[in-house]
Amino acid sequence: MKIGIVTQPLRYNYGGLLQNFALQTVLKRLGHQPVTIDYFASASVFQYIKSTVKSLLLYCLPSRRRRFIPLHPKREKAVFDDFVNSHIDKTGYVYSYRQWQIAGFDAVITGSDQVWRPIFNKDLKDMYLWFVKDPKIIKIAYAASFGTSDREYSIKEISQCKKAAELIDAVSVREQSGVELFDYYFNREAVVTLDPTLLLEADDYIRLIKEPDSRETHFLWSYILDSDSIDNEMLQRIVNNMSLDEYKKAAEGDDDMSPCKWLAMFRDAKLVVTDSFHGTVFSIIFRKPFVTINNTWRGSARIYSLLKGLGLESRIVENGSEEAIMRVAGEKIDWDLVETILNKKREFAIEFLQNSLKKRKC
């Protein structure tokens, strides 16, 4: 089957790119042909003209010059564009979702990375596959995420998305709170399935890595999305207290760090400190001792749901204090037990995809 994938824009988010790569990999192994719709949000023509005029007026003032914003943006960071072009099958750039873009498709899947969170999606109803008008196309939500347990939808958003949600043939969400939100908003049942990244194993990602192995250096890997969670001085004290050699760190969308190099950091680290959902995921995939700092703004429900389901909720620290990080870092993880749980969840997720894709319509 030819399958379209609707997800967050393929930009500068490590987890977002890798979850798309993982879903495509799984679908290919099931014998299908997945293609991701390469959507980029763009300004309206009015906003574009307004911005361009303002930039022209300010151009004569060197201290206030600003870059011109294109009407149709593209990926501008080579390390991310190279990964997308090498590892993800996609359409050409599109700036709005339309039925013609999926002509000849047998199914369309929406998911996973916070596709149903309003603040990250300008055209929310399209994330519920509203634009898929052909009744013969199977519509699936796989591990779709609201990103939070809060009821963020307005009455208008519920109304706009309700009909589209009712027409999805099979629905799975990424977090337990998503089951409750989907029922509250649309009075429909959903099941919980793993984030696509967790459907693959460490060896699947190691094949992507070209960076030399640096495991002889015992380093702490800090992947922090919000810099106020932890500072360099604290990282250095943790390194000293745990007799490590050094710390390495990166933020989201680092210009100098490709997704493959980012994976290498998890492969080689002795300890991971992160406030990221996918930072937590890849610590688990690579069986690394980790500490997850609760990041409430970006949505803590997804991390709690993941870790509770694996018996690892004790790895979360609420305030990012040095004492709490040191305490959790020193606790051992029963990786064999975690892998046993993961394998059962993988089997359930694959079965969900297989059964959903059998819902062929007349």
Side-chain angles (χ1 to χ4, degrees):
M1 297 175 69
K2 189 172 183 180
I3 302 171
I5 298 175
V6 173
T7 190
Q8 292 285 358
L10 303 174
R11 300 194 72 173
Y12 316 127
N13 180 298
Y14 299 108
L17 294 183
L18 289 165
Q19 63 88 19
N20 191 245
F21 162 78
L23 182 57
Q24 286 203 358
T25 299
V26 169
L27 291 171
K28 288 175 183 178
R29 289 176 181 175
L30 293 176
H32 302 293
Q33 297 172 277
V35 179
T36 297
I37 299 175
D38 198 3
Y39 169 81
F40 259 54
S42 62
S44 67
V45 173
F46 173 76
Q47 290 171 325
Y48 168 71
I49 293 172
K50 181 180 177 182
S51 174
T52 301
V53 169
K54 189 171 183 179
S55 295
L56 286 169
L57 292 173
L58 293 173
Y59 189 79
C60 297
L61 303 172
S63 63
R64 299 189 63 188
R65 283 179 186 170
R66 62 183 202 170
R67 67 190 296 267
F68 287 85
I69 299 174
L71 177 60
H72 291 153
K74 298 180 179 180
R75 279 178 294 277
E76 296 178 348
K77 296 184 180 181
V79 293
F80 293 90
D81 200 36
D82 289 347
F83 180 87
V84 171
N85 290 333
S86 298
H87 301 293
I88 294 177
D89 295 321
K90 56 184 177 54
T91 65
Y93 285 115
V94 303
Y95 301 97
S96 60
Y97 289 104
R98 296 289 185 269
Q99 170 66 39
W100 63 263
Q101 296 158 354
I102 53 171
F105 285 48
D106 302 292
V108 179
I109 297 175
T110 181
S112 154
D113 203 24
Q114 300 201 64
V115 290
W116 288 348
R117 194 167 189 187
I119 60 173
F120 295 141
N121 299 283
K122 182 176 70 172
D123 298 314
L124 189 61
K125 65 181 181 298
D126 283 330
M127 296 294 102
Y128 286 89
L129 307 182
W130 176 247
F131 71 99
V132 183
K133 303 296 185 181
D134 186 342
K136 295 181 182 179
I137 294 177
I138 301 168
K139 293 192 276 190
I140 300 168
Y142 178 78
S145 176
F146 293 95
T148 176
S149 58
D150 296 334
R151 295 174 180 175
E152 294 184 333
Y153 282 26
S154 65
I155 294 174
K156 181 179 179 181
E157 286 167 336
I158 295 173
S159 176
Q160 288 176 334
C161 297
K162 185 174 178 60
K163 187 173 181 180
E166 290 172 348
L167 294 174
I168 298 175
D169 297 291
V171 180
S172 74
V173 292
R174 197 174 64 182
E175 295 88 32
Q176 182 58 42
S177 60
V179 173
E180 296 153 13
L181 287 172
F182 197 73
D183 177 57
Y184 175 78
Y185 292 143
F186 311 119
N187 195 29
R188 276 200 67 182
E189 292 184 357
V191 296
V192 177
T193 51
L194 288 172
D195 184 87
T197 50
L198 285 161
L199 299 181
L200 302 184
E201 299 183 6
D203 286 346
D204 295 308
Y205 296 107
I206 288 172
R207 295 187 189 102
L208 299 175
I209 299 172
K210 299 177 182 177
E211 300 294 318
D213 193 316
S214 61
R215 274 174 280 192
E216 289 185 3
T217 301
H218 292 194
F219 68 89
L220 181 156
W221 168 232
S222 172
Y223 179 60
I224 300 293
L225 299 177
D226 295 315
S227 58
D228 58 354
S229 298
I230 189 169
D231 59 37
N232 292 345
E233 292 182 1
M234 183 188 296
L235 287 174
Q236 188 58 57
R237 289 195 298 271
I238 294 171
V239 164
N240 295 339
N241 289 335
M242 299 197 69
S243 300
L244 300 175
D245 298 324
E246 60 178 325
Y247 67 83
K248 299 180 182 182
K249 61 184 293 188
E252 186 176 38
D254 194 318
D255 289 359
D256 299 322
M257 182 165 288
S258 69
C260 297
K261 185 175 181 180
W262 186 81
L263 286 172
M265 295 296 102
F266 289 93
R267 177 195 66 184
D268 299 342
K270 291 297 179 183
L271 171 66
V272 178
V273 177
T274 186
D275 64 351
S276 153
F277 174 81
H278 280 109
T280 302
V281 164
F282 281 97
S283 300
I284 293 167
I285 289 171
F286 285 101
R287 292 191 169 202
K288 298 297 176 178
F290 69 94
V291 181
T292 298
I293 300 171
N294 187 19
N295 190 328
T296 55
W297 182 83
R298 291 180 182 264
S300 56
R302 55 198 184 132
I303 294 178
Y304 273 100
S305 182
L306 168 68
L307 294 182
K308 185 176 181 180
L310 297 174
L312 294 173
E313 60 268 40
S314 64
R315 308 305 296 188
I316 302 174
V317 299
E318 291 296 331
N319 55 15
S321 72
E322 183 177 345
E323 180 182 358
I325 291 171
M326 288 289 296
R327 173 180 55 77
V328 173
E331 297 174 357
K332 291 186 177 181
I333 297 172
D334 185 345
W335 288 115
D336 290 337
L337 176 59
V338 172
E339 194 67 24
T340 298
I341 299 170
L342 261 181
N343 284 334
K344 290 181 180 178
K345 291 178 179 290
R346 285 171 178 146
E347 290 175 7
F348 178 82
I350 297 298
E351 185 177 356
F352 171 84
L353 279 171
Q354 289 175 317
N355 291 338
S356 300
L357 290 167
K358 290 176 182 177
K359 297 179 183 288
R360 187 177 293 276
K361 302 177 183 180
C362 299

